[in-house]
């Protein structure tokens, strides 16, 4: 297989755009854990930007960089205007959504449905590039419905690449626009990593980012070694601390990652400031729920946050109290394990 193109360091590992997940609070938390992983916004429709509260949709902290804006739409002029807004707001990349299979997105004739209209996608990309001086990329599936042959995918890639798109993020599943829910479309169509491998071989001059079904940093690293870049989705939101080793393992950056307690304390400072400016506590709490996933005290952490957030007069100080509870549980578990080891040693003597 041909050597994959060398992508920018920031794009070697990324976290997927996820509706109701990758908001600015989640991105801030992930950035505390990994300084170099590329983050994506939730998909923002052109209508929301051009006819709604653009400032709210584009809001981000400077610390989030590198961060990309994902746009949803199908009209070249509107895509160009929206890309220009994202460019002025300081986003490092503008991405076009050609992969979302939700009924609402399908009804608007964008997202995955656009795989059937490569010429229209190409016109959107060309328009976006005229009003943006940052990379314009496309996130897509490997096919939709019965339009899932490799020759159709090649035609899509070639048509859009001719308009100036040099990087394609490929969710390595087809999408069924009828009959499957968005969640089912993330799980039921089989993963076809071989299709992405084949694209890398056929188009070594382009950059491809493999997405879909990646559940750990180790899996992502294996795909990066083979393809050049990988994007983690829901696993990174459910367990954000899996990104802790990313800077060293994927990007070769020196230094130890922050521990979970350091992350909580840094995020607490951010949350206190946001809370004082009127941000409600629930959206600030939500990204934290999976921080201790897989370690002692995880159940206590989730319970403390879930129950405490909705009590009267709750503030971000709840996060510190929950951390103290987890640290107490972890200390007790260590003592219990030490006693067991000590007891076994004495019996062995």
């Amino acid at each position: 297989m041909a050597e994959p193109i060398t992508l920018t360091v920031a794009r070697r590992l990324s976290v997927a755009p996820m509706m109701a997940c990758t908001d600015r609070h989640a991105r801030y938390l992930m950035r505390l854990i990994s300084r170099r992983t590329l983050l994506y916004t939730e998909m923002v429709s052109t209508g929301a930007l051009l006819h709604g509260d653009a400032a709210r949709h584009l809001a981000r902290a400077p610390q989030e960089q590198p961060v990309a804006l994902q746009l949803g739409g199908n009209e070249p002029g509107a895509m160009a205007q929206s890309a220009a807004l994202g460019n002025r707001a300081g986003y490092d990349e503008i991405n076009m959504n050609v992969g979302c299979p939700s009924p609402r997105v399908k009804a608007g004739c964008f997202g995955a449905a656009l795989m059937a209209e490569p010429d229209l996608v190409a016109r959107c990309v060309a328009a976006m590039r005229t009003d943006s001086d940052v990379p314009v990329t496309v996130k897509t599936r490997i096919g939709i419905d019965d339009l899932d042959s490799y020759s159709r995918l090649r035609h899509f890639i070639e048509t859009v690449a001719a308009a100036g798109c040099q990087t394609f993020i490929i969710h390595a599943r087809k999408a069924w626009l009828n009959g499957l829910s968005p969640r089912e479309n993330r799980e039921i169509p089989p993963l076809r990593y071989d299709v992405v491998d084949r694209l890398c071989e056929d188009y070594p001059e382009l950059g491809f980012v493999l997405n879909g079904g990646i559940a750990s940093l180790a899996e992502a690293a294996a795909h990066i070694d083979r393809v050049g870049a990988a994007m983690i989705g829901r696993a990174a939101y459910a367990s954000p601390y899996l990104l802790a080793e990313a800077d060293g393992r994927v990007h070769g950056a020196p230094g130890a990652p922050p521990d979970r307690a350091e992350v909580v304390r840094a995020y607490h400072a951010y949350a206190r400031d946001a809370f004082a400016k009127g941000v409600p506590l629930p959206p600030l709490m939500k990204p934290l729920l999976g921080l201790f996933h897989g370690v002692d005290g995880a159940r206590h952490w989730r319970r403390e946050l879930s129950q405490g957030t909705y009590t009267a007069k709750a503030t971000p100080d709840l996060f510190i109290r929950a951390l103290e509870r987890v640290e107490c549980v972890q200390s007790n578990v260590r003592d219990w394990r030490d006693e067991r080891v000590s007891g076994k040693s004495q019996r062995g003597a």
Side-chain angles (χ1 to χ4, degrees):
M1 189 168 119
E3 285 291 318
I5 190 171
T6 301
L7 299 175
T8 60
V9 171
R11 198 176 285 124
R12 282 173 59 80
L13 180 70
S14 55
V15 175
M18 292 173 280
M19 295 299 293
C21 291
T22 51
D23 62 15
R24 58 194 174 103
H25 312 307
R27 298 194 304 267
Y28 192 95
L29 176 68
M30 291 178 183
R31 182 58 69 226
L32 291 172
I33 299 169
S34 170
R35 297 299 306 161
R36 299 183 179 226
T37 298
L38 176 61
L39 305 178
Y40 281 76
T41 68
E42 303 171 90
M43 182 187 69
V44 182
S45 72
T46 56
L49 285 181
L50 302 181
H51 308 295
D53 188 347
R56 178 174 66 84
H57 289 295
L58 294 173
R60 62 171 184 81
Q63 295 90 336
E64 291 178 35
Q65 290 182 282
V67 60
L69 171 68
Q70 187 182 66
L71 295 176
N74 65 0
E75 199 284 310
M79 292 294 285
Q81 292 178 61
S82 298
L85 289 174
N87 191 39
R88 288 198 293 271
Y91 283 92
D92 299 287
E93 173 189 315
I94 309 297
N95 177 261
M96 182 175 179
N97 184 319
V98 189
C100 181
S102 80
R104 180 174 63 85
V105 169
K106 176 190 170 186
C109 296
F110 60 99
L114 286 172
M115 286 203 75
E117 300 189 59
D119 290 334
L120 176 56
V121 175
R123 292 199 301 273
C124 288
V125 166
M128 293 163 71
R129 293 183 68 242
T130 63
D131 287 301
S132 176
D133 58 11
V134 298
V136 173
T137 65
V138 168
K139 187 174 189 295
T140 187
R141 295 275 184 141
I142 60 174
I144 53 171
D145 298 332
D146 294 323
L147 307 178
D148 60 350
S149 68
Y150 186 67
S151 62
R152 282 186 175 274
L153 179 59
R154 281 188 55 139
H155 176 65
F156 178 89
I157 295 294
E158 291 173 3
T159 302
V160 178
C165 179
Q166 295 297 299
T167 300
F168 293 84
I169 302 159
I170 310 291
H171 186 151
R173 287 186 173 95
K174 67 181 288 183
W176 286 101
L177 301 184
N178 296 296
L180 293 182
S181 69
R183 178 174 181 176
E184 289 170 332
N185 263 305
R186 294 194 300 267
E187 299 171 352
I188 292 177
L191 284 163
R192 294 288 309 278
Y193 295 144
D194 62 298
V195 173
V196 184
D197 292 344
R198 191 173 175 186
L199 288 173
C200 291
E201 185 174 358
D202 289 348
Y203 303 100
E205 73 281 7
L206 299 176
F208 293 97
V209 182
L210 186 147
N211 172 232
I214 301 175
S216 69
L217 185 62
E219 290 181 33
H223 291 304
I224 291 168
D225 289 342
R226 192 180 74 259
V227 174
M231 172 180 279
I232 303 179
R234 308 231 161 226
Y237 187 78
S239 180
Y241 199 71
L242 70 78
L243 297 173
E245 301 292 336
D247 290 359
R249 184 167 184 173
V250 174
H251 303 295
D259 62 32
R260 288 177 174 85
E262 291 173 315
V263 172
V264 172
R265 293 188 178 97
Y267 185 79
H268 169 248
Y270 162 81
R272 285 187 64 182
D273 182 63
F275 188 74
K277 293 176 180 177
V279 177
L281 191 59
L284 291 168
M285 176 276 294
K286 186 182 174 186
L288 286 170
L289 284 171
L291 184 62
F292 285 85
H293 177 78
V295 300
D296 294 328
R299 180 168 55 87
H300 297 275
W301 169 256
R302 293 181 66 92
R303 185 173 62 203
E304 292 282 333
L305 293 181
S306 298
Q307 294 179 354
T309 294
Y310 299 97
T311 59
K313 299 182 180 179
T315 74
D317 291 344
L318 166 69
F319 306 159
I320 298 300
R321 294 196 298 273
L323 173 63
E324 292 170 347
R325 171 66 171 149
V326 170
E327 290 176 331
C328 180
V329 170
Q330 291 177 336
S331 177
N332 291 338
V333 170
R334 284 193 300 270
D335 290 345
W336 175 77
R337 288 173 178 160
D338 289 344
E339 288 176 3
R340 289 195 66 188
V341 171
S342 177
K344 288 180 180 179
S345 298
Q346 291 177 5
R347 287 194 297 273

